[in-house]
């Protein structure tokens, strides 16, 4: 680890802070590798129930590091499958919450959308300005944003390169909550603590079922949801959760 990611743990919550403040946390290859490795390791740790990803007060992440790619050829991009490594981040099954202050632009906005939901400060700004650089988004920006906010709004963002403020992002469905800037991290950690106290199998399958809705028909999604419900009756957490409810006590999932 080179210090590009700061990792702290409290109980079952892991906090990952991007640490390139002078570059507004631009996602260079080293930072990406360190972040993906950290998330992969935490995902394999059964004591971790939720991961929070944040940046600095000025920027969650202001995009990919242009200086690393400006002179690359199409052949080099294809050979390296540039940005392909981010699929490891996406497939991590532990819930991920983005705590966003300042700018979340380009790759930073895409990183936020790769998380399961985002809590943002009132001063946060979001955008996919790749068109201004003569390229397009490449870490899921055209795809995830369209699924989150719809075709018309996504076209507006990608074709004009404009920024969206926190209130518009909330109303559009890009983020889950807006709070005062100083409350972003406390709120995200509070939400993560809540998630991490629940049954790990139930949380993971709930996450998978919601994501399945983006890729299947309603009838297929309903069947998948029902099968996940059935599957959880093979876990001790289902019995503990339902028994605790009937006994009017707090369940002990861990």
């Amino acid at each position: 680890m080179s210090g590009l990611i700061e990792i702290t743990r409290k109980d079952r919550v892991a906090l990952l802070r991007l640490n390139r403040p002078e570059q507004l946390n631009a996602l260079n290859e080293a930072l990406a590798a360190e972040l993906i490795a950290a998330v992969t390791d935490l995902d394999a740790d059964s004591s971790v129930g939720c991961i929070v990803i944040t940046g600095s007060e000025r920027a969650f992440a202001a995009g990919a590091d242009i200086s690393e790619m400006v002179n690359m050829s199409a052949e080099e991009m294809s050979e390296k499958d540039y940005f392909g490594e981010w699929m490891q981040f996406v497939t991590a099954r532990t819930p991920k919450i983005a705590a966003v202050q300042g700018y979340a632009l380009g790759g930073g906005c895409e990183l936020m959308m790769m998380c399961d939901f985002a809590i943002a400060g009132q001063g946060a700004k979001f955008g996919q300005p790749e068109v201004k650089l003569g390229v397009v988004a490449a870490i899921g920006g055209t795809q995830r944003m369209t699924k989150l906010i719809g075709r018309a709004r996504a076209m507006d963002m990608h074709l004009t390169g404009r920024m969206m403020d926190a209130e518009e992002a909330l109303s559009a469905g890009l983020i889950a909550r807006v709070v005062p800037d100083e409350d972003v991290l406390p709120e995200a950690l509070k939400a993560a603590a809540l998630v991490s106290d629940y049954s790990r199998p139930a949380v993971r399958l709930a996450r998978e079922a919601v994501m399945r809705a983006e890729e299947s028909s309603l009838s297929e999604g309903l069947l998948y949801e029902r099968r996940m419900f059935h599957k959880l009756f093979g876990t001790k957490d289902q019995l503990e959760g339902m028994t605790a409810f009937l006994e009017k006590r707090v369940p002990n999932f861990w």
Side-chain angles (χ1 to χ4, degrees):
M1 293 291 182
S2 60
L4 295 174
I5 303 293
E6 295 178 346
I7 305 173
T8 55
R9 290 275 303 268
K10 183 178 181 182
D11 299 324
R12 289 181 287 275
V13 174
L15 171 64
L16 277 55
R17 186 185 295 275
L18 310 186
N19 188 34
R20 294 187 79 207
E22 293 183 4
Q23 295 80 24
L24 298 181
N25 294 322
L27 304 175
N28 65 359
E29 290 189 78
L31 186 152
E34 199 166 315
L35 177 60
I36 293 164
V39 168
T40 301
D41 289 345
L42 291 166
D43 191 47
D45 186 340
S46 61
S47 70
V48 176
C50 194
I51 299 168
V52 174
I53 297 175
T54 195
S56 64
E57 292 181 3
R58 290 183 62 201
F60 176 71
D65 194 326
I66 305 304
S67 65
E68 284 191 336
M69 66 180 85
V70 60
N71 291 315
M72 291 180 66
S73 67
E75 290 78 10
E76 288 174 302
M77 281 283 176
S78 180
E79 181 66 26
K80 291 185 69 172
D81 190 20
Y82 209 82
F83 293 141
E85 71 276 10
W86 283 103
M87 286 307 299
Q88 291 178 248
F89 180 95
V90 175
T91 55
R93 300 176 66 198
T94 304
K96 300 176 288 294
I97 300 173
V100 181
Q101 287 183 269
Y103 296 107
L105 305 176
C109 190
E110 291 169 301
L111 172 59
M112 180 197 75
M113 291 189 287
M114 284 188 278
C115 295
D116 294 303
F117 66 91
I119 297 174
Q122 292 171 329
K125 301 287 186 182
F126 308 89
Q128 298 286 167
E130 287 86 353
V131 69
K132 297 180 180 181
L133 304 175
V135 292
V136 300
I139 320 178
T142 61
Q143 304 304 299
R144 292 191 179 91
M145 182 172 281
T146 303
K147 290 181 182 298
L148 287 169
I149 70 176
R151 177 180 178 274
R153 278 180 162 144
M155 281 288 192
D156 181 11
M157 297 299 291
H158 284 277
L159 297 185
T160 69
R162 75 177 181 89
M163 288 191 289
M164 180 184 285
D165 65 22
E167 290 300 331
E168 183 182 0
L170 179 65
S171 67
L174 186 64
I175 60 177
R177 309 181 199 175
V178 174
V179 299
D181 290 327
E182 63 271 17
D183 294 338
V184 170
L185 190 54
E187 283 295 312
L189 291 171
K190 182 179 177 182
L194 187 64
V195 171
S196 69
D197 278 343
Y198 294 138
S199 162
R200 194 166 188 251
V203 164
R204 285 185 163 201
L205 291 184
R207 177 182 175 276
E208 288 182 19
V210 171
M211 292 179 69
R212 184 69 171 236
E214 296 182 332
E215 300 179 3
S216 62
S217 67
L218 178 59
S219 60
E220 291 171 337
L222 289 170
L223 177 60
Y224 185 84
E225 176 189 78
R226 196 159 64 250
R227 293 292 180 256
M228 294 304 98
F229 179 74
H230 297 163
K231 183 176 181 178
L232 287 166
F233 277 73
T235 67
K236 61 180 178 60
D237 284 352
Q238 168 271 324
L239 182 60
E240 168 62 14
M242 291 188 170
T243 301
F245 176 82
L246 294 173
E247 294 177 352
K248 295 181 171 56
R249 61 176 175 82
V250 176
N252 180 20
F253 291 125
W254 293 79

mmCIF file of all heavy atoms in Angstrom, residues 199 201-202 205 226-240 242:
data_model
loop_
_atom_site.group_PDB
_atom_site.id
_atom_site.type_symbol
_atom_site.label_atom_id
_atom_site.label_comp_id
_atom_site.label_asym_id
_atom_site.label_seq_id
_atom_site.Cartn_x
_atom_site.Cartn_y
_atom_site.Cartn_z
ATOM 1 N N SER A 199 -28.290 -9.150 9.301
ATOM 2 C CA SER A 199 -27.789 -10.439 8.836
ATOM 3 C C SER A 199 -26.966 -10.264 7.567
ATOM 4 O O SER A 199 -27.451 -9.713 6.576
ATOM 5 C CB SER A 199 -28.970 -11.372 8.561
ATOM 6 O OG SER A 199 -28.585 -12.449 7.731
ATOM 7 N N PRO A 201 -25.919 -12.565 5.308
ATOM 8 C CA PRO A 201 -26.517 -13.203 4.125
ATOM 9 C C PRO A 201 -27.744 -12.452 3.612
ATOM 10 O O PRO A 201 -27.920 -12.305 2.388
ATOM 11 C CB PRO A 201 -26.901 -14.603 4.632
ATOM 12 C CG PRO A 201 -26.003 -14.846 5.795
ATOM 13 C CD PRO A 201 -25.826 -13.501 6.440
ATOM 14 N N ALA A 202 -28.588 -11.953 4.514
ATOM 15 C CA ALA A 202 -29.798 -11.244 4.081
ATOM 16 C C ALA A 202 -29.447 -9.946 3.367
ATOM 17 O O ALA A 202 -30.036 -9.610 2.330
ATOM 18 C CB ALA A 202 -30.696 -10.963 5.280
ATOM 19 N N LEU A 205 -28.018 -10.740 -0.152
ATOM 20 C CA LEU A 205 -29.019 -11.188 -1.106
ATOM 21 C C LEU A 205 -30.018 -10.086 -1.441
ATOM 22 O O LEU A 205 -30.515 -10.013 -2.574
ATOM 23 C CB LEU A 205 -29.734 -12.428 -0.582
ATOM 24 C CG LEU A 205 -28.870 -13.699 -0.519
ATOM 25 C CD1 LEU A 205 -29.699 -14.897 -0.080
ATOM 26 C CD2 LEU A 205 -28.207 -13.996 -1.868
ATOM 27 N N ARG A 226 -38.166 -14.163 -4.974
ATOM 28 C CA ARG A 226 -38.820 -15.216 -4.196
ATOM 29 C C ARG A 226 -37.840 -16.341 -3.866
ATOM 30 O O ARG A 226 -37.840 -16.876 -2.746
ATOM 31 C CB ARG A 226 -40.028 -15.745 -4.972
ATOM 32 C CG ARG A 226 -41.004 -16.557 -4.142
ATOM 33 C CD ARG A 226 -42.369 -16.609 -4.794
ATOM 34 N NE ARG A 226 -42.382 -17.291 -6.090
ATOM 35 C CZ ARG A 226 -42.571 -16.668 -7.259
ATOM 36 N NH1 ARG A 226 -42.753 -15.346 -7.303
ATOM 37 N NH2 ARG A 226 -42.592 -17.363 -8.391
ATOM 38 N N ARG A 227 -36.995 -16.680 -4.823
ATOM 39 C CA ARG A 227 -36.002 -17.735 -4.575
ATOM 40 C C ARG A 227 -34.980 -17.299 -3.525
ATOM 41 O O ARG A 227 -34.523 -18.110 -2.709
ATOM 42 C CB ARG A 227 -35.289 -18.100 -5.884
ATOM 43 C CG ARG A 227 -36.196 -18.775 -6.912
ATOM 44 C CD ARG A 227 -36.636 -20.154 -6.453
ATOM 45 N NE ARG A 227 -37.496 -20.788 -7.452
ATOM 46 C CZ ARG A 227 -38.817 -20.905 -7.344
ATOM 47 N NH1 ARG A 227 -39.443 -20.432 -6.263
ATOM 48 N NH2 ARG A 227 -39.517 -21.502 -8.287
ATOM 49 N N MET A 228 -34.607 -16.022 -3.519
ATOM 50 C CA MET A 228 -33.696 -15.536 -2.489
ATOM 51 C C MET A 228 -34.355 -15.597 -1.104
ATOM 52 O O MET A 228 -33.725 -15.948 -0.109
ATOM 53 C CB MET A 228 -33.262 -14.092 -2.788
ATOM 54 C CG MET A 228 -32.421 -13.919 -4.051
ATOM 55 S SD MET A 228 -30.903 -14.936 -4.076
ATOM 56 C CE MET A 228 -31.457 -16.342 -5.064
ATOM 57 N N PHE A 229 -35.632 -15.265 -1.061
ATOM 58 C CA PHE A 229 -36.396 -15.357 0.192
ATOM 59 C C PHE A 229 -36.397 -16.797 0.692
ATOM 60 O O PHE A 229 -36.116 -17.075 1.864
ATOM 61 C CB PHE A 229 -37.822 -14.867 -0.053
ATOM 62 C CG PHE A 229 -38.716 -14.937 1.146
ATOM 63 C CD1 PHE A 229 -38.585 -14.043 2.201
ATOM 64 C CD2 PHE A 229 -39.728 -15.903 1.219
ATOM 65 C CE1 PHE A 229 -39.426 -14.108 3.299
ATOM 66 C CE2 PHE A 229 -40.564 -15.982 2.308
ATOM 67 C CZ PHE A 229 -40.415 -15.075 3.358
ATOM 68 N N HIS A 230 -36.692 -17.741 -0.196
ATOM 69 C CA HIS A 230 -36.696 -19.153 0.182
ATOM 70 C C HIS A 230 -35.318 -19.590 0.680
ATOM 71 O O HIS A 230 -35.207 -20.305 1.686
ATOM 72 C CB HIS A 230 -37.085 -20.019 -1.020
ATOM 73 C CG HIS A 230 -38.459 -19.762 -1.533
ATOM 74 N ND1 HIS A 230 -38.876 -20.180 -2.785
ATOM 75 C CD2 HIS A 230 -39.529 -19.103 -0.992
ATOM 76 C CE1 HIS A 230 -40.124 -19.820 -2.973
ATOM 77 N NE2 HIS A 230 -40.542 -19.148 -1.916
ATOM 78 N N LYS A 231 -34.290 -19.158 -0.035
ATOM 79 C CA LYS A 231 -32.914 -19.563 0.296
ATOM 80 C C LYS A 231 -32.523 -19.152 1.713
ATOM 81 O O LYS A 231 -31.818 -19.885 2.421
ATOM 82 C CB LYS A 231 -31.951 -18.942 -0.723
ATOM 83 C CG LYS A 231 -30.492 -19.323 -0.550
ATOM 84 C CD LYS A 231 -29.652 -18.722 -1.665
ATOM 85 C CE LYS A 231 -28.186 -19.108 -1.529
ATOM 86 N NZ LYS A 231 -27.365 -18.558 -2.641
ATOM 87 N N LEU A 232 -32.983 -17.995 2.148
ATOM 88 C CA LEU A 232 -32.599 -17.490 3.467
ATOM 89 C C LEU A 232 -33.194 -18.302 4.610
ATOM 90 O O LEU A 232 -32.749 -18.196 5.762
ATOM 91 C CB LEU A 232 -32.968 -16.018 3.601
ATOM 92 C CG LEU A 232 -32.057 -15.073 2.793
ATOM 93 C CD1 LEU A 232 -32.653 -13.680 2.691
ATOM 94 C CD2 LEU A 232 -30.661 -15.018 3.411
ATOM 95 N N PHE A 233 -34.176 -19.144 4.314
ATOM 96 C CA PHE A 233 -34.722 -20.019 5.350
ATOM 97 C C PHE A 233 -33.783 -21.181 5.656
ATOM 98 O O PHE A 233 -34.057 -21.986 6.551
ATOM 99 C CB PHE A 233 -36.121 -20.510 4.961
ATOM 100 C CG PHE A 233 -37.192 -19.510 5.307
ATOM 101 C CD1 PHE A 233 -37.331 -18.352 4.569
ATOM 102 C CD2 PHE A 233 -38.020 -19.713 6.399
ATOM 103 C CE1 PHE A 233 -38.293 -17.405 4.896
ATOM 104 C CE2 PHE A 233 -38.977 -18.771 6.748
ATOM 105 C CZ PHE A 233 -39.121 -17.611 5.991
ATOM 106 N N GLY A 234 -32.679 -21.237 4.968
ATOM 107 C CA GLY A 234 -31.630 -22.195 5.282
ATOM 108 C C GLY A 234 -30.540 -21.599 6.151
ATOM 109 O O GLY A 234 -29.513 -22.247 6.388
ATOM 110 N N THR A 235 -30.733 -20.366 6.634
ATOM 111 C CA THR A 235 -29.715 -19.709 7.465
ATOM 112 C C THR A 235 -30.181 -19.597 8.912
ATOM 113 O O THR A 235 -31.380 -19.518 9.196
ATOM 114 C CB THR A 235 -29.414 -18.288 6.945
ATOM 115 O OG1 THR A 235 -30.571 -17.450 7.135
ATOM 116 C CG2 THR A 235 -29.056 -18.308 5.463
ATOM 117 N N LYS A 236 -29.228 -19.564 9.809
ATOM 118 C CA LYS A 236 -29.546 -19.371 11.229
ATOM 119 C C LYS A 236 -30.073 -17.967 11.489
ATOM 120 O O LYS A 236 -30.828 -17.746 12.437
ATOM 121 C CB LYS A 236 -28.316 -19.643 12.095
ATOM 122 C CG LYS A 236 -27.129 -18.744 11.845
ATOM 123 C CD LYS A 236 -25.966 -19.099 12.747
ATOM 124 C CE LYS A 236 -24.740 -18.225 12.468
ATOM 125 N NZ LYS A 236 -24.987 -16.795 12.655
ATOM 126 N N ASP A 237 -29.677 -17.003 10.643
ATOM 127 C CA ASP A 237 -30.116 -15.626 10.851
ATOM 128 C C ASP A 237 -31.615 -15.458 10.640
ATOM 129 O O ASP A 237 -32.260 -14.644 11.305
ATOM 130 C CB ASP A 237 -29.358 -14.686 9.903
ATOM 131 C CG ASP A 237 -27.934 -14.440 10.350
ATOM 132 O OD1 ASP A 237 -27.577 -14.866 11.460
ATOM 133 O OD2 ASP A 237 -27.171 -13.812 9.586
ATOM 134 N N GLN A 238 -32.186 -16.223 9.717
ATOM 135 C CA GLN A 238 -33.643 -16.139 9.518
ATOM 136 C C GLN A 238 -34.368 -16.564 10.780
ATOM 137 O O GLN A 238 -35.300 -15.897 11.245
ATOM 138 C CB GLN A 238 -34.059 -17.013 8.330
ATOM 139 C CG GLN A 238 -35.565 -17.221 8.202
ATOM 140 C CD GLN A 238 -36.065 -18.441 8.980
ATOM 141 O OE1 GLN A 238 -35.382 -19.467 9.067
ATOM 142 N NE2 GLN A 238 -37.238 -18.326 9.575
ATOM 143 N N LEU A 239 -33.937 -17.681 11.362
ATOM 144 C CA LEU A 239 -34.592 -18.169 12.582
ATOM 145 C C LEU A 239 -34.390 -17.194 13.727
ATOM 146 O O LEU A 239 -35.329 -16.891 14.476
ATOM 147 C CB LEU A 239 -34.042 -19.549 12.953
ATOM 148 C CG LEU A 239 -34.670 -20.211 14.189
ATOM 149 C CD1 LEU A 239 -36.173 -20.410 14.000
ATOM 150 C CD2 LEU A 239 -33.982 -21.540 14.486
ATOM 151 N N GLU A 240 -33.169 -16.664 13.853
ATOM 152 C CA GLU A 240 -32.880 -15.704 14.926
ATOM 153 C C GLU A 240 -33.694 -14.430 14.741
ATOM 154 O O GLU A 240 -34.288 -13.911 15.701
ATOM 155 C CB GLU A 240 -31.392 -15.382 14.937
ATOM 156 C CG GLU A 240 -30.985 -14.180 15.797
ATOM 157 C CD GLU A 240 -31.288 -14.328 17.269
ATOM 158 O OE1 GLU A 240 -31.582 -15.456 17.732
ATOM 159 O OE2 GLU A 240 -31.239 -13.294 17.982
ATOM 160 N N MET A 242 -36.567 -13.847 13.084
ATOM 161 C CA MET A 242 -38.004 -14.017 13.274
ATOM 162 C C MET A 242 -38.350 -14.375 14.709
ATOM 163 O O MET A 242 -39.368 -13.921 15.257
ATOM 164 C CB MET A 242 -38.541 -15.069 12.298
ATOM 165 C CG MET A 242 -38.524 -14.602 10.849
ATOM 166 S SD MET A 242 -39.369 -15.742 9.729
ATOM 167 C CE MET A 242 -39.414 -14.730 8.237
#
